[in-house]
Amino acid sequence: MRTPTRARKGLFAPSALLVSAALLLTACGSGDPAADAAGAAGGPDAIPTTDVVSRIGENADAVRLLPPGTKELTLAVSVGGNPPGNAYLPDGKTLTGQDVDFAHAVGNALGISLKTEQASFEAVLPALDSGKYDIGASNFGVTEERRRTIDFVTYINDGQGFAAREDSELSEVTDLKQLCGLKVATGAGTTFEATLEESRHLCTDAGDEAYSVQTYSEPGALWSSLQQGRSDIVMSTINGLRYAVAHQQGLKFLNEFHRLDVGFALKKGSKLAPALQAAVNGLIADGTYARILKKWDTTESAIEKSKISPPELKD
């Protein structure tokens, strides 16, 4: 039997407004049309630009934990999503986002410079092992699979959630079998893709039609697929979904599905981990941490202390 809450192909008829917004998503900028438009005009929905990083002083205790001679590290980030993820301000040049703020806050606390390089989300973690990058910061969730080859230094708690168009019959997703027969859009190389692929059999095991997984490297394309009716539902970060729903018309946040710790990603066995952990805990103690979360309206993602490669959170 198919769940009665299932959205059907053709059920949605995206309005001209949604189609226009979707087209804007494919252009350069933050990846969020409302934020881009308001940001250009300096409106109330502009991407926040409060400086919560530049005045951070060195944390002597954390600095002492750095490997000797460490002066500069290469930071890899994926860009193109909507805040609080990494995005550009309307000038198309200035990189911003919660992960960027935390990375540079830690860099200042350690008295080091960060050479920031952009890469696709799915390319960052493999490149850490090769030494191409020292740190990855793109809302990387801590999972048991990733812990086998990557070390993490946690700085927030986020996780997996769902969003759909307002006219979707879905109100929440508590069981992935509710997705049977639907087209699910998500980011390539993410925990969401892994969760969906691992659980696809649940539908066929129940004698139902499997859901299809549509992966996108560019978040703008992901949102376009939803708004233009090419997909039925989006699975992504809780914080990112809430921001998108708040700043794009015609969308609704369904629910949180699974919480995960999020951390800076490092090569397995990296000697940088203790220093980064001490720097994050210093930011928590001096109030900087809370100011960064307040800037991005993500206070619900606060952690009490940073940990190095903790076990994956289980519901």
Side-chain angles (χ1 to χ4, degrees), residues 25 99 128 159 162 252:
L25 274 165
D99 299 312
L128 292 170
F162 292 95
K252 64 180 179 180

Side-chain angles (χ1 to χ4, degrees), residues 16-104:
L17 177 60
L18 286 178
V19 172
S20 296
L23 293 174
L24 282 170
L25 274 165
T26 62
C28 64
S30 72
D32 170 52
D36 284 343
D45 287 336
I47 299 175
T49 56
T50 305
D51 182 1
V52 291
V53 173
S54 65
R55 296 184 181 181
I56 297 172
E58 290 188 15
N59 179 332
D61 292 335
V63 172
R64 281 193 285 270
L65 296 174
L66 278 173
T70 304
K71 298 297 181 183
E72 181 183 84
L73 296 173
T74 302
L75 172 72
V77 299
S78 62
V79 183
N82 51 265
N86 302 324
Y88 284 107
L89 291 178
D91 63 9
K93 299 178 181 179
T94 306
L95 186 61
T96 189
Q98 179 173 254
D99 299 312
V100 171
D101 274 352
F102 273 118
H104 286 281

Side-chain angles (χ1 to χ4, degrees), residues 165 183-185 214 216 222 225-226 229-234:
R165 293 187 298 278
K183 299 175 182 178
V184 187
Q214 302 172 332
Y216 298 89
L222 182 153
S225 75
L226 179 65
R230 297 192 304 276
S231 60
D232 302 303
I233 190 169
V234 165

Side-chain angles (χ1 to χ4, degrees), residues 10 13-14 19-20 58 67 80 102 121 146 157 190 195 235 307:
V19 172
S20 296
E58 290 188 15
F102 273 118
F121 183 91
R146 287 175 174 172
N157 175 271
T190 62
T195 296
M235 187 179 190
K307 298 178 181 179

